[in-house]
Amino acid sequence: MAKHLLTLESDYDYDLIGICSHHSDYRLCWSLNEALKLGLKKADEDFSVSNKKGLTVSSHSFYEYIDEVENTEYYLIKNKSEGKFLMPEKQQIDYFLVIRENVSVDIDDLVTQIKAISTILTAVIFDPEELKSADKLIF
C-alpha cells in the first residue's frame, strides 16, 4: 500500500519591511503617515499570536491603512511586546511594515523614503519565505 503525504506550502503574498526606531509606535506611525502620505491608524484590536491550542501567546501594537485608490493594504506591527517577539529570529527589528495586494508601490523606493525619515534608524526588506515566523503574518 502506498503512502501519500500532504504538504501545504504557504503563499506569502505580501512585502515585508523591517524598521528600526527608538520611538514609540504612535510617533513612528505619525512619521510614516507624514512622509509617505499614508493614513495608518491604530486598529481596534492588537495583533495577537496564538499557539497550536488557540491560546494567545502575545499581543502586538497594530496599525492599519487600506489605500482605496491603489487597492494596497499597509499594516505596521510592533515586533516586541511584553518581552515576546512576533519574529524571534529578527529581535533587532522594532517594527514590521507589511504591504499586501501591492501592484503599484516600488518597495526599493519606499524603503529609501522610509530611511530618510529622521525618527527611523534603518529599514530593511525581508523575503518572507526566508523567515521561520512568516506564517504569523498571513491574515
Side-chain angles (χ1 to χ4, degrees), residues 18-60:
I19 298 174
C20 294
S21 175
H22 294 302
H23 289 274
S24 61
D25 52 356
Y26 59 86
R27 173 74 170 118
L28 174 64
C29 185
W30 181 86
S31 296
L32 289 169
N33 284 341
E34 288 293 308
L36 305 176
K37 306 299 182 229
L38 299 177
L40 287 164
K41 292 183 181 176
K42 184 117 172 111
D44 293 335
E45 295 181 18
D46 284 347
F47 188 83
S48 296
V49 178
S50 302
N51 62 15
K52 292 179 182 178
K53 295 180 181 178
L55 301 173
T56 300
V57 176
S58 63
S59 293
H60 302 264

Side-chain angles (χ1 to χ4, degrees), residues 9-14 129 135 138:
E9 292 185 20
S10 298
D11 183 22
Y12 302 109
D13 64 341
Y14 60 87
E129 295 196 20
D135 287 345
I138 297 175

Side-chain angles (χ1 to χ4, degrees), residues 13-15 38 40 62-68 70-76 97-105 107 110 137 139:
D13 64 341
Y14 60 87
D15 295 302
L38 299 177
L40 287 164
F62 185 54
Y63 292 78
E64 58 188 352
Y65 169 62
I66 298 174
D67 185 340
E68 302 281 335
E70 300 291 335
N71 288 329
T72 305
E73 302 172 13
Y74 297 86
Y75 302 98
L76 181 68
L97 183 63
V98 179
I99 305 165
R100 295 188 61 214
E101 307 298 327
N102 181 16
V103 293
S104 62
V105 177
I107 296 302
L110 184 66
L137 297 176
F139 50 93

